[in-house]
Amino acid sequence: MRLRRPLVSIGIPFFNPGPFLREAIQSVFAQTYPFWELILVDDGSDDGSYELCLRIQDSRVRVFRDGKQMGLAARLNQIASVASG
């Protein structure tokens, strides 16, 4: 019997994060544990960060945007509702 390793969900809500979003995403990819999903949720950014996220070519990454600015608590709840891990 093969044991399945647990999936870890990592959520990053963001609003105009500047260069810090790229660093946060890179830190996730640098992890040695391979069974993860990254959930990126834009909270109404207008600095190009959403477009940066769309360029990520990895099936473990999901990007969400609804054009609204709802705040951190709402975005964390959104992440929890879509997480698989």
Side-chain angles (χ1 to χ4, degrees), residues 40-70:
L40 299 166
V41 179
D42 179 24
D43 193 36
S45 297
D46 60 7
D47 67 347
S49 52
Y50 173 70
E51 291 75 15
L52 168 76
C53 293
L54 291 179
R55 289 193 298 265
I56 300 170
Q57 298 295 311
D58 191 300
S59 63
R60 299 173 292 180
V61 178
R62 294 189 288 156
V63 183
F64 295 89
R65 179 185 207 185
D66 59 14
K68 301 175 187 172
Q69 192 172 12
M70 298 173 55

Side-chain angles (χ1 to χ4, degrees), residues 5 10 26-36 60:
R5 297 198 180 192
I10 304 151
Q26 288 173 341
S27 74
V28 173
F29 277 89
Q31 300 305 307
T32 57
Y33 187 78
F35 304 102
W36 52 263
R60 299 173 292 180

Side-chain angles (χ1 to χ4, degrees), residues 37 39 62 64 74-84:
E37 67 175 343
I39 303 165
R62 294 189 288 156
F64 295 89
R75 296 307 180 183
L76 291 173
N77 286 332
Q78 180 182 0
I79 290 167
S81 72
V82 299
S84 300

